[in-house]
Amino acid sequence: MKSSARRRTIAVRRTTAARRTTTTTTVLAASLVAALALAGCAKSEDAASGDKGASAGDDAGQVVASPSAGNDKTCTVEQFGGKKIDLSSATVGFSQSEKEANPFRIAETASLKAEAEKRGVKLLTANAQSQFSKQISDVQDLIAKGADLLVIAPLNSDGWGPVLRTAAKRKIPIVTVDRKINATACKDYVSFIGSDFIEQGKRAADQMIEATGGKGEVAILLGSAGNNVTTERTKGFKDQLQAKAPGLKVVFEQTGEFAREKGQSVTEQLIQSKPGITGVYAENDEMGLGAVNALKGAGKKAGAVKIVTVDGTRNAVQGIVDGWISGVIESNPRFGPLAFQTLDSFTQGKEVSQDIVIQDSAYTGSNAESDLGKAY
C-alpha cells in the first residue's frame, strides 16, 4: 500500500511539474512573440503609399517622378561602350560616403544590401567614413576586388577623375545615388538616381512661409560644402522666399555639415547672435534635431522658433508630433530596388534615363502622427 501511495504521489508531482513547465513555456513563447512583434514595429522603415505593409527589409517607397523637359536623356550599353552581362552573375560594388550614424545612410545601405540579397547578387560594400580621399581609394579597391558594376553615394561632387579613369578602362558602369558627380552622363557614369533638390528647397520654403506667416528672420543650417545637394537645397529655398515671401529674410547661414552635434553647436551660436530669430531651415533632419536640442537647452518652448528640415527620419517626424518641428520634406533613401532595376535594365541593353528623379512626400502637423510609420 505504501509503495502504491508513493507511486501515486510521484505521478501527481510529475503531472504538476509538467503543467508548470507547459505554462512557463506558453508564457515564454507568448512573450517572445510579443517581443518579436514589437521589434518588427521598431525596425519598420516604411509603409509605402497605397497602404502596402513594410518592414525593415521592405524597400518599397521610391517612386520615379514623371520625366520633365531636359531630363529625358537616356543611355544604353552600346552608347556607353560596354557589353551586356547577366546581373545575377555579376559582382556589384557599393561605396557609402558617410558614417552610418545618420539614419539616412543606415536606411540607404540597408536598402542596397536587402535588394542584392533578394536578387541573389554578390555585393561588395565600403564606407568612406565621411573622408573623401578614403572614398576614392575605397572605389578603386572595389574595382580591384572584381566589381563589374558600381553604385556610389558620393561624398563630394568633384574630384572623381581617378575613379572615372580606372572605371573607363574596364568599361565599368556606374550609377550614383543621392548626390551627383560633376562628370558626363553615359560616358563617365550611366545614371544618377535622386531627388529634385531645388524643389525640396522650394517646398521647405513653402512650409516655413506657412509656419511664420511669411514675415521675420530665418537662419539656414547649410549641409556640407562641395556637393550639389547643399547648393541646390539652398538655392530652392532662397528663390522661393524671394518670390513668395520677401518679408521673410535670411539673416544667418552656416554649415552644420549634415551632423546633429554640429547643428546644435551652430544653433547655440545663432541664439546668442540672433536671439529674436523666427525660423531655422535645416538642410537635413540631423541638423534640425541638433537645433531642437539647442533650443531646449536655451529654455525655449516648443514652436517658439519654427524649424523646417529635409529627410523624413522617424525622430524628425516625431519632432512634429511633439511640436518642436513645423515640417519635414522627405528625401527617400531607399535606393536599392531602383538602383538594381536600373543596372539590370542597362546590362540587358535597354535604355535607362541619365537622370532618374524620385518623388518625395512631406510631413506636416496634419499627417505626422498618422504617417510616422512611413518614416525611416
Side-chain angles (χ1 to χ4, degrees):
M1 291 293 292
K2 288 182 180 179
S3 176
S4 177
R6 186 178 294 110
R7 284 197 296 271
R8 283 197 299 271
T9 300
I10 292 170
V12 169
R13 286 175 179 171
R14 285 176 177 170
T15 301
T16 302
R19 285 173 179 168
R20 285 174 180 166
T21 301
T22 301
T23 302
T24 302
T25 302
T26 303
V27 170
L28 287 172
S31 299
L32 180 58
V33 170
L36 288 172
L38 288 172
C41 291
K43 291 180 180 179
S44 175
E45 289 181 348
D46 181 50
S49 56
D51 265 344
K52 294 179 182 177
S55 65
D58 186 348
D59 281 305
Q62 281 192 345
V63 177
V64 179
S66 298
S68 57
N71 287 335
D72 55 358
K73 293 181 179 179
T74 60
C75 185
T76 64
V77 165
E78 187 177 359
Q79 290 172 315
F80 184 72
K83 60 181 181 179
K84 296 180 184 180
I85 60 174
D86 183 354
L87 182 61
S88 63
S89 62
T91 297
V92 177
F94 172 56
S95 170
Q96 178 58 274
S97 58
E98 298 177 4
K99 299 174 182 178
E100 291 181 13
N102 184 330
F104 184 98
R105 298 301 171 189
I106 294 171
E108 185 177 58
T109 298
S111 176
L112 268 295
K113 287 182 176 179
E115 186 66 18
E117 183 177 359
K118 178 181 175 182
R119 289 172 173 263
V121 177
K122 182 179 179 181
L123 182 70
L124 306 176
T125 64
N127 191 306
Q129 301 293 316
S130 303
Q131 301 171 46
F132 186 61
S133 60
K134 184 177 184 309
Q135 187 168 36
I136 295 299
S137 62
D138 279 351
V139 179
Q140 299 276 28
D141 188 51
L142 290 171
I143 293 172
K145 288 179 177 178
D148 301 300
L149 307 107
L150 292 168
V151 178
I152 300 175
L155 183 64
N156 294 339
S157 295
D158 291 318
W160 284 94
V163 163
L164 298 179
R165 285 191 291 272
T166 302
K169 290 178 182 177
R170 305 189 186 191
K171 294 299 179 182
I172 297 175
I174 297 173
V175 168
T176 72
V177 295
D178 179 45
R179 297 175 184 172
K180 286 187 174 184
I181 59 175
N182 290 327
T184 304
C186 209
K187 177 186 174 185
D188 300 313
Y189 68 97
V190 173
S191 298
F192 158 74
I193 306 173
S195 300
D196 183 333
F197 304 116
I198 290 179
E199 183 63 21
Q200 286 180 340
K202 289 181 177 180
R203 295 173 69 197
D206 288 338
Q207 289 198 350
M208 184 65 76
I209 292 167
E210 183 176 351
T212 61
K215 294 181 180 180
E217 296 184 338
V218 180
I220 301 178
L221 299 184
L222 301 166
S224 54
N227 66 80
N228 68 303
V229 177
T230 296
T231 303
E232 292 176 15
R233 283 181 183 167
T234 304
K235 175 176 171 53
F237 185 81
K238 287 183 172 180
D239 287 352
Q240 193 76 338
L241 288 192
Q242 186 175 5
K244 297 182 68 173
L248 199 53
K249 305 290 185 183
V250 176
V251 297
F252 180 96
E253 295 179 56
Q254 190 169 325
T255 181
E257 297 174 2
F258 287 134
R260 188 179 303 196
E261 297 79 7
K262 184 69 172 178
Q264 180 172 340
S265 64
V266 171
T267 305
E268 288 168 350
Q269 299 169 27
L270 167 67
I271 295 169
Q272 293 295 320
S273 62
K274 302 285 184 182
I277 198 73
T278 308
V280 174
Y281 166 46
E283 293 185 340
N284 83 335
D285 285 354
E286 286 296 286
M287 293 189 295
L289 292 166
V292 170
N293 290 340
L295 292 169
K296 287 180 178 178
K300 300 284 186 180
K301 293 182 179 180
V305 177
K306 309 304 179 185
I307 299 176
V308 174
T309 70
V310 181
D311 267 350
T313 63
R314 192 175 295 268
N315 286 336
V317 178
Q318 183 64 49
I320 299 176
V321 177
D322 296 339
W324 283 97
I325 295 177
S326 296
V328 176
I329 304 301
E330 183 193 43
S331 194
N332 195 327
R334 300 173 181 92
F335 288 99
L338 199 49
F340 276 90
Q341 178 187 323
T342 302
L343 290 174
D344 196 14
S345 295
F346 179 79
T347 53
Q348 289 181 48
K350 300 176 183 177
E351 288 186 344
V352 297
S353 295
Q354 294 179 15
D355 284 286
I356 302 172
V357 179
I358 61 175
Q359 291 179 347
D360 294 311
S361 61
Y363 299 93
T364 65
S366 64
N367 70 350
E369 189 165 9
S370 62
D371 288 355
L372 185 59
K374 295 180 181 180
Y376 54 88

